[in-house]
Amino acid sequence: MQVASPPLLRRLPPGAWVVLAWCGGTAFTFLMRMRLPGEWYPAARPAAQFFRWDGLAHFGVATALALAGGALLGRRPLPALTLLLAASVLGTMPLGVAEIPLPQFLAAEVAVFFIATGRPRASGVAAVLAALAVLGGYLAVRVLYGWPIAASSETAVALTTVIAWLLGNSVRQSREHAEELRARAATQAVSDERLRIARELHDMVAHSIGVIALQAGAARRVIDTQPERARDALGEIETAGRQTLSGLRRMLGALRSRDPERPASAVPPRPEPLEPVHPESGRPGPVLGLADVDRLAATTTQAGVRVDVRRLGERRPLPPEIDVAAYRVVQEAVTNVLRHAGTASCRVSIDYRDDEVRVEVLDDGRGGDAGDGYGLLGMRERVGVLHGTFAAGPRPGGGFRVAARLPVPTEVR
């Protein structure tokens, strides 16, 4: 699956945004104090020290502090904000103005936004209070020295700072709410999948008991006249009983347990994927297995995506729960190719090994369901219940790969 890279601006870290804000504000400050083409005089009269060496030195030191604050913002946000606030004060000194202008305070406001977005609420509140304290302290110092102040302009800067904090706090709350919904959806998806497995297990047991009942009846009828046929029927009963009991022990034990280490990053479950109907039962059920992959391939090919099936190793009967799980993985992956990949073909590989069975679905399209998405979450859970491994993700050369490895119990090899 080819994953499109996000635009450059979306990949910039918060510190880079802060540095860009500082550079933009500084450039704006210089442009405002220069006579641009078409103007008779600059928009703002520069102070006497603005273009002198001492004024330029103040700007140089302030820029160094802003760069350091941007570099530190991701690791230690509050110390980084302190450097940015110091840069705003130092960058204001050569301007000869009665307040800290917005261009000099823009980088600090951007930092307040990112702190409120990505840090706990207490850190965001501390950041906005520190920024407001610097604005108020700057005016207080000027009042103590008897210098004029521009309270209205500074109030506007304070208002934009509070707005930056409110926006960041709103983004943080939205993220927390979305994460809570994702966690609930993950729990619900796992529960739904386990219930579906339990229903299939019920059908599997009912099917096995039906086979046992038929074989037992046949053995009872011929036990006196055809002992060999009776012996074969009893052997079939024994095999079916052992396989069913083994499946019950593995799957019910896993269904009762909860895996605390399983990550809760998922999305709500979606409707069932394409599911062929077994000709004997007349409905979907656990009798579906790897033998039905050819039928699934034919159905998908008729729908517009050619499915090439390749089998490796010696084909042999598998425990019903393993056969069903392997088929479901193939079914879900092929359905994703049909719905999302935008390609004309895919390849299904089924590898029968001595101690396991492996299935793999490859395509060269633009990608199917993500590895932690709707249907594949259920497949991951199903394979995990059977102590197997599951992988789904983009291929290095393009396309998407879904693979599962299901171990076969020793007693049925």
Side-chain angles (χ1 to χ4, degrees):
M1 177 181 66
Q2 294 283 16
V3 180
S5 300
L8 175 62
L9 294 181
R10 292 179 59 186
R11 289 186 284 144
L12 288 178
W17 283 107
V18 167
V19 172
L20 287 176
W22 174 264
C23 294
T26 303
F28 180 78
T29 298
F30 274 87
L31 289 175
M32 289 286 290
R33 286 160 176 79
M34 298 173 63
R35 188 173 66 85
L36 301 178
E39 295 181 343
W40 286 17
Y41 47 84
R45 184 178 300 275
Q49 70 274 19
F50 185 76
F51 289 109
R52 290 193 328 218
W53 69 269
D54 53 342
L56 296 178
H58 278 92
F59 279 118
V61 175
T63 301
L65 291 175
L67 293 176
L72 194 62
L73 184 63
R75 301 188 304 274
R76 302 183 63 187
L78 292 181
L81 179 62
T82 301
L83 294 176
L84 292 169
L85 293 174
S88 67
V89 173
L90 194 60
T92 302
M93 294 175 63
L95 303 182
V97 293
E99 81 287 341
I100 300 178
L102 180 60
Q104 272 57 57
F105 212 70
L106 186 59
E109 291 182 349
V110 173
V112 168
F113 169 80
F114 281 113
I115 292 174
T117 298
R119 298 290 173 169
R121 181 182 179 87
S123 297
V125 172
V128 69
L129 291 179
L132 296 177
V134 169
L135 293 174
Y138 187 85
L139 297 182
V141 170
R142 293 186 64 87
V143 169
L144 291 176
Y145 279 93
W147 299 337
I149 62 173
S152 58
S153 298
E154 202 75 322
T155 301
V157 176
L159 182 61
T160 57
T161 304
V162 173
I163 292 174
W165 172 77
L166 289 174
L167 291 174
N169 188 63
S170 177
V171 171
R172 179 186 59 80
Q173 290 178 338
S174 298
R175 288 178 178 175
E176 290 178 351
H177 181 64
E179 187 62 30
E180 182 181 354
L181 292 179
R182 284 170 59 87
R184 291 180 182 177
T187 302
Q188 185 62 40
V190 171
S191 299
D192 290 346
E193 179 61 22
R194 291 194 174 192
L195 287 175
R196 191 157 70 95
I197 295 173
R199 289 194 297 268
E200 291 186 351
L201 184 59
H202 170 270
D203 289 346
M204 179 191 71
V205 173
H207 176 75
S208 299
I209 295 299
V211 171
I212 291 174
L214 290 175
Q215 295 290 351
R220 182 179 59 82
R221 287 191 297 270
V222 301
I223 191 169
D224 294 327
T225 59
Q226 299 179 2
E228 290 298 327
R229 289 186 58 186
R231 185 179 296 108
D232 293 340
L234 291 175
E236 293 292 334
I237 291 173
E238 181 183 9
T239 301
R242 289 183 181 275
Q243 290 181 354
T244 304
L245 181 60
S246 176
L248 282 171
R249 286 173 177 171
R250 287 192 303 272
M251 295 188 70
L252 291 180
L255 288 170
R256 291 193 188 102
S257 64
R258 297 185 62 86
D259 186 358
E261 298 180 357
R262 186 174 298 277
S265 57
V267 285
R270 65 177 173 185
E272 286 294 310
L274 297 176
E275 187 169 288
V277 176
H278 195 275
E280 295 180 2
S281 64
R283 61 180 178 83
V287 291
L288 289 171
L290 292 178
D292 298 282
V293 170
D294 291 331
R295 187 180 298 106
L296 174 67
T299 303
T300 307
T301 301
Q302 292 176 0
V305 175
R306 188 181 75 255
V307 180
D308 299 322
V309 181
R310 182 180 64 174
R311 286 183 168 85
L312 304 174
E314 182 181 356
R315 296 178 62 176
R316 66 182 188 277
L318 296 171
E321 70 276 7
I322 294 178
D323 203 20
V324 171
Y327 173 81
R328 296 295 192 196
V329 171
V330 174
Q331 181 188 49
E332 178 64 33
V334 170
T335 302
N336 284 337
V337 173
L338 182 63
R339 291 178 175 174
H340 307 297
T343 183
S345 65
C346 66
R347 184 172 75 248
V348 176
S349 298
I350 304 172
D351 188 2
Y352 294 89
R353 302 192 178 188
D354 292 339
D355 56 349
E356 64 185 15
V357 60
R358 296 190 178 190
V359 294
E360 182 182 61
V361 180
L362 302 176
D363 70 77
D364 57 358
R366 61 174 177 265
D369 198 355
D372 58 351
Y374 291 78
L376 295 185
L377 171 69
M379 296 305 101
R380 190 183 304 276
E381 177 69 19
R382 180 188 295 273
V383 172
V385 164
L386 297 174
H387 309 290
T389 57
F390 180 85
R395 300 166 61 192
F400 203 75
R401 173 180 180 267
V402 176
R405 182 188 64 83
L406 293 163
V408 178
T410 306
E411 62 270 17
V412 296
R413 292 177 190 169

